Amino acid sequence: MKGTQAMNFSKMTALITGAAGGLGKAFAVECASRGWDLFLTDARGGPLRVLAEGLRHAHGVAVECSACDLTDPAAREALFAQVAASGRTLTMLINVAGLDYEGPFYEQSEQNIQTILRVNIEATLAVTHTALRYRSPSETFHIINVASLAAFYPMPVKATYAASKRFLLDFSLALREELRNQNASVTILCPAGMPTTMECIHAIEAQGLAGHLTTVDVGRVADLTLNAALRGKAVVIPGAANRILQVLGSLVPAPLLAGLIGSRWSAVRERRAGDGTLPGKEPCRQAAEGLLQQTNV
């Protein structure tokens, strides 16, 4: 916790999706270090329980966890039944869970495409919609939605993923305006690459200097995002290089930008294919790997 003592907000209760690893775990650790109670959920029950137990012992906070397929309405209902049974209301929601199947759109199965949309969009909206009913009536309710730097670009090889993150960006900004006079705020996090797994490190290395310049430590991302959310900031883009790229990208016509990004990703994929680190057909999960395939452009 770096320079956050003045922003602890005493006792808060946060629900974090995709909490078992990577960015979700970083958010959980940062919230617990501030003395906040937690509800944690992830598709992976084993690592989730280990995390919850560790946070209870290390920080003395109340931590409840529930393994949950967020695309399953019954599983979401069971998750919020646990929240209701606790007798506590929520003061923060952090939507981290998300995934991608990297590769050209025409090579993707219909199931993969639907899964990206169901996890990144449907699940995030459903959890947010329900969580608003469990917020504290007397305290400001903070929502953090995790998008990506990819949300600002048309992105070949990650076309569905980038579009789903653009949806979350626009949705979050619109919801923020709707909730402006309802004692609630929405912050959208748009990170680039973070070295959370060997797979992610390989991807960063394959991008050379640009990959290293746009990479930000996952713990720092969690810390600065929480502080920004508590201040009511709308959009968080960690890293000066990433903020510059976002501004420069906004000045380039979208068709030209798509071509430039497509050429860059083709070169990166060729290098990764050459060194044997190109991802297979398994999903790249925010929930499991902490924004494993977030894009450095």
Side-chain angles (χ1 to χ4, degrees), residues 149 151-153 166 169 190 235 237 240-252 257 297:
L149 196 62
F152 296 100
Y153 312 105
R166 180 69 191 198
L169 174 62
C190 300
V235 179
I237 302 176
N242 296 317
R243 291 190 290 274
I244 292 171
L245 283 173
Q246 189 276 319
V247 172
L248 292 177
S250 68
L251 303 177
V252 180
L257 190 60
V297 294

Side-chain angles (χ1 to χ4, degrees), residues 6-291:
M7 302 192 71
N8 281 347
F9 281 60
S10 61
K11 200 65 170 179
M12 296 182 67
T13 302
L15 168 61
I16 305 175
T17 72
L23 183 61
K25 181 185 290 185
F27 271 120
V29 171
E30 183 61 34
C31 288
S33 73
R34 299 175 184 219
W36 302 353
D37 292 338
L38 296 170
F39 287 94
L40 306 178
T41 186
D42 193 281
R44 304 181 304 158
L48 189 67
R49 289 188 289 274
V50 171
L51 172 63
E53 187 65 22
L55 293 177
R56 292 187 197 105
H57 284 294
H59 300 287
V61 295
V63 184
E64 297 195 36
C65 64
S66 176
C68 180
D69 174 4
L70 293 176
T71 67
D72 181 357
R76 295 195 301 264
E77 184 177 348
L79 170 64
F80 281 101
Q82 184 175 346
V83 174
S86 73
R88 292 193 293 274
T89 53
L90 300 175
T91 51
M92 180 171 284
L93 168 66
I94 308 176
N95 284 308
V96 179
L99 57 77
D100 183 28
Y101 293 88
E102 185 177 310
F105 179 78
Y106 62 85
E107 293 181 1
Q108 299 291 338
S109 68
E110 184 175 345
Q111 180 179 355
N112 284 2
I113 294 168
Q114 290 177 347
T115 300
I116 293 171
L117 297 178
R118 292 194 67 200
V119 175
N120 295 5
I121 297 177
E122 177 188 332
T124 299
L125 267 62
V127 169
T128 302
H129 189 263
T130 305
L132 284 166
R133 301 202 301 266
Y134 288 86
R135 55 180 163 153
S136 170
S138 60
E139 300 178 64
T140 301
F141 185 59
H142 301 275
I143 299 171
I144 297 173
N145 288 331
V146 176
S148 167
L149 196 62
F152 296 100
Y153 312 105
M155 189 155 287
V157 186
K158 301 169 76 65
T160 305
Y161 172 82
S164 73
K165 294 302 186 176
R166 180 69 191 198
F167 179 98
L168 289 182
L169 174 62
D170 289 346
F171 164 75
S172 298
L173 293 175
L175 181 62
R176 173 184 173 85
E177 187 62 29
E178 289 184 12
L179 298 176
R180 183 178 296 277
N181 297 318
Q182 298 186 35
N183 201 24
S185 69
V186 182
T187 297
I188 183 77
L189 170 62
C190 300
M194 290 178 284
T196 55
T197 67
M198 287 306 300
E199 185 71 36
C200 184
I201 292 170
H202 288 319
I204 293 169
E205 292 291 339
Q207 295 176 65
L209 179 61
H212 289 282
L213 288 176
T214 56
T215 298
V216 183
D217 176 73
V218 67
R220 174 163 171 73
V221 170
D223 177 70
L224 68 86
T225 302
L226 288 176
N227 287 344
L230 294 174
R231 293 195 302 268
K233 188 173 182 179
V235 179
V236 177
I237 302 176
N242 296 317
R243 291 190 290 274
I244 292 171
L245 283 173
Q246 189 276 319
V247 172
L248 292 177
S250 68
L251 303 177
V252 180
L256 176 58
L257 190 60
L260 293 172
I261 293 172
S263 297
R264 174 166 174 74
W265 269 107
S266 294
V268 169
R269 284 174 62 82
E270 287 177 7
R271 286 198 293 271
R272 297 192 67 189
D275 63 19
T277 63
L278 190 67
K281 297 298 183 181
E282 291 300 309
C284 304
R285 296 179 181 272
Q286 287 177 199
E289 285 86 35
L291 306 183

